[in-house]
Amino acid sequence: MLYLLMTLELAGEAGRRRTRRRRPGTRGMPSRTKERPESSLPKGIGKPALRALASAGVSRLDQVAQFTEAQLMALHGVGPKAIGVIKAALEAEGKSLAKDA
């Protein structure tokens, strides 16, 4: 009889789903916040524009200042929103985009 009770008890545990216990205060995924260097590209620029700038070798705001607005718009992924964010960030630092020749 004891054997029967132990068998039933083990069978019941095997049928239950076991869940992992999380540490208190966590929501499952680790935080991906990174400190951004002061001269990095501003927040608010979309990922396609960031990829386009990276493919052009641009990773910092001061590098963007060497381009004209027309050159930036020619990059696939950079649109009016990204241009506006970049202009505002440059103006905040007292800089601007290069002038058309």
Side-chain angles (χ1 to χ4, degrees):
M1 181 130 153
L2 182 60
Y3 175 74
L4 180 63
L5 287 175
M6 288 176 57
T7 307
L8 290 173
E9 191 173 282
L10 288 175
E13 285 183 23
R16 280 190 246 150
R17 294 177 80 186
R18 292 188 182 191
T19 58
R20 271 180 112 170
R21 298 193 85 194
R22 294 185 192 157
R23 286 181 281 142
T26 62
R27 295 189 143 211
M29 295 298 293
S31 174
R32 290 189 176 213
T33 57
K34 295 179 185 176
E35 289 190 25
R36 303 180 84 170
E38 287 185 27
S39 61
S40 70
L41 295 170
K43 288 185 177 183
I45 298 177
K47 292 197 185 245
L50 289 174
R51 286 191 297 268
L53 291 169
S55 71
V58 176
S59 61
R60 296 187 324 264
L61 189 59
D62 60 334
Q63 294 172 324
V64 179
Q66 299 170 357
F67 290 88
T68 65
E69 185 173 342
Q71 289 171 326
L72 290 175
M73 287 294 285
L75 295 173
H76 181 74
V78 178
K81 179 186 174 200
I83 297 290
V85 172
I86 289 169
K87 281 183 174 180
L90 285 170
E91 286 176 13
E93 292 189 6
K95 299 177 183 177
S96 65
L97 291 173
K99 302 293 180 203
D100 290 324

